[in-house]
Amino acid sequence: MDALRPVGRTLLRDRAYEALREAIVRGDLQPGAPLTDAELADRLGLSRTPVREALARLGDEGLVDSKPQSYTRVTRPVSRIVRDAASVVRVMHELAARTGVPLLSPEGVRAMREANERFAAAVRASDVEAALDADDELHQVLVVASGNHAAAATIARYTPLIRRVERRLFGDAGSCGSVELHAQLIEACAAGDPEAAVRVTREIWAALERLADEAVEVADVTGIPAPVAEAGAPAAPPVP
């Protein structure tokens, strides 16, 4: 009997999930925006079932809030939730650094240097998308080197909550400071010093925990309802 082969097809619910998550994290679907499965399905060119499944998954991850027979909407960033996510992601990256540095190849160190060069260039150009992509690539080198699939899955699940905050704060001194912290991390990796790499990693991600409060709206703390979208903005912008 021939071995089973991959069908080479992404599940529709995964396509819907990835498109909606990207739109939420990027801010195309703004905090508080109502989400209608029929409208989203039409825009994505899918049926309503995979969209509903995607929205349920996004709800589990804290990006969508829903009440049966009442509403489904994009969540508003809340400092406590962002701090919790940043804490979990920080610990997973510390684990990846501790276990990945001894296994890191010279090619891996070179990939981190190149990613930090792209990150620095993107920060100078105020290109938030390129900066966050380069940041992900840099840290992913250690995650892959560690070979810890549970850590990788946890990072992938909770990083989107943090990225929403980073987009709001992009251009702060913290963004520029990350270039130097990245450089320190790379040098620790090149030296084969996992404990130094863990210390720098902790500093990088702890900064996001401290910055979380700067991204939270008054409505999230007081419970006072806030506008669904900014004045003049559409309630639910198109998703890719």
Side-chain angles (χ1 to χ4, degrees):
M1 181 177 178
D2 293 337
L4 293 174
R5 297 180 180 180
V7 298
R9 181 184 171 206
T10 304
L11 290 174
L12 295 180
R13 66 171 177 266
D14 292 336
R15 287 175 51 195
Y17 164 78
E18 291 168 3
L20 291 171
R21 183 181 67 174
E22 181 180 358
I24 292 171
V25 172
R26 195 173 55 231
D28 294 340
L29 290 172
Q30 300 175 3
L35 302 172
T36 305
D37 53 10
E39 181 180 1
L40 293 173
D42 182 61
R43 293 179 176 179
L44 292 170
L46 300 172
S47 67
R48 295 172 67 174
T49 298
V51 171
R52 288 196 195 103
E53 293 173 345
L55 290 174
R57 183 175 174 185
L58 290 166
D60 291 339
E61 296 179 1
L63 293 173
V64 168
D65 179 31
S66 63
K67 181 178 180 181
Q69 309 301 321
S70 182
Y71 61 80
T72 299
R73 62 195 178 197
V74 178
T75 57
R76 299 182 186 278
V78 178
S79 60
R80 176 185 57 78
I81 294 174
V82 176
R83 281 199 306 271
D84 289 348
S87 296
V88 170
V89 171
R90 171 177 55 80
V91 171
M92 292 299 99
H93 276 295
E94 289 176 15
L95 176 61
R98 180 171 286 109
T99 57
V101 167
L103 303 173
L104 193 62
S105 66
E107 291 76 16
V109 175
R110 183 166 57 252
M112 293 177 73
R113 291 191 193 280
E114 292 172 353
N116 199 32
E117 290 173 2
R118 291 193 298 275
F119 177 82
V123 169
R124 289 193 297 271
S126 296
D127 187 340
V128 61
E129 297 298 333
L132 294 181
D133 286 346
D135 186 68
D136 283 339
E137 291 172 17
L138 187 153
H139 292 288
Q140 188 65 15
V141 172
L142 281 176
V143 175
V144 172
S146 74
N148 191 319
H149 298 293
T154 302
I155 289 169
R157 173 166 182 168
Y158 291 107
T159 295
L161 285 168
I162 305 168
R163 288 309 192 210
R164 297 175 76 192
V165 172
E166 287 185 284
R167 276 175 167 78
R168 288 189 177 193
L169 301 173
F170 186 81
D172 269 10
S175 297
C176 299
S178 293
V179 176
E180 176 57 32
L181 288 174
H182 286 163
Q184 293 177 27
L185 174 61
I186 294 166
E187 292 311 311
C189 292
D193 188 343
E195 292 309 314
V198 169
R199 287 196 298 273
V200 180
T201 297
R202 182 179 300 119
E203 185 174 352
I204 291 171
W205 292 97
L208 289 176
E209 297 176 52
R210 294 192 297 269
L211 289 172
D213 287 332
E214 298 182 21
V216 65
E217 298 178 12
V218 173
D220 297 318
V221 177
T222 64
I224 300 173
V228 167
E230 296 179 1
V239 296

